[in-house]
Amino acid sequence: TAFSVNNGTTTIINTTGFWRLIGTMGTRTDSSTQKGSIVLNDGTTDKIIFALRVSSNAVGRSIPFDLLIKLPAGHSCKMVATNGCVIDGSSRQIADIAENLVNP
């Protein structure tokens, strides 16, 4: 499932299982601080597992990510991007919560 997040928060996965996230997180050259992050939420608390922060007046940056995550019941994965940060990528379930492989 493809996603693109800019200037906001989007929940990209809220289904149990093992997931692969692949994509890029990038910022532009700007006069403001820009931040992007990949966040796991357990239903009450956010935990940042990957982030990019570029200070004001810095050269734009772009970094790739390729992550494997496990989401138990009640958990979700969110992308958070401030204005000027873009997170593009896709998610794919590789196994269910019982560790049974999911064929593409």
Side-chain angles (χ1 to χ4, degrees):
T1 304
F3 56 83
S4 182
V5 180
N6 177 16
N7 195 27
T9 300
T10 302
T11 299
I12 61 163
I13 308 168
N14 58 9
T15 305
T16 61
F18 293 83
W19 295 82
R20 181 179 184 196
L21 303 174
I22 188 167
T24 59
M25 189 178 293
T27 63
R28 64 177 185 227
T29 302
D30 201 335
S31 61
S32 63
T33 299
Q34 298 147 38
K35 298 181 253 180
S37 56
I38 300 172
V39 176
L40 296 182
N41 181 280
D42 64 4
T44 57
T45 306
D46 286 343
K47 181 71 137 184
I48 297 172
I49 61 167
F50 188 84
L52 170 66
R53 178 186 169 122
V54 176
S55 299
S56 60
N57 297 317
V59 175
R61 303 271 195 272
S62 179
I63 55 174
F65 59 87
D66 189 351
L67 305 170
L68 298 176
I69 62 171
K70 176 185 178 184
L71 291 180
H75 288 61
S76 62
C77 179
K78 303 186 290 188
M79 299 292 162
V80 181
T82 62
N83 190 27
C85 180
V86 177
I87 307 171
D88 290 322
S90 64
S91 63
R92 178 174 139 6
Q93 188 174 24
I94 56 175
D96 64 20
I97 200 66
E99 301 178 9
N100 299 305
L101 294 177
V102 174
N103 290 325

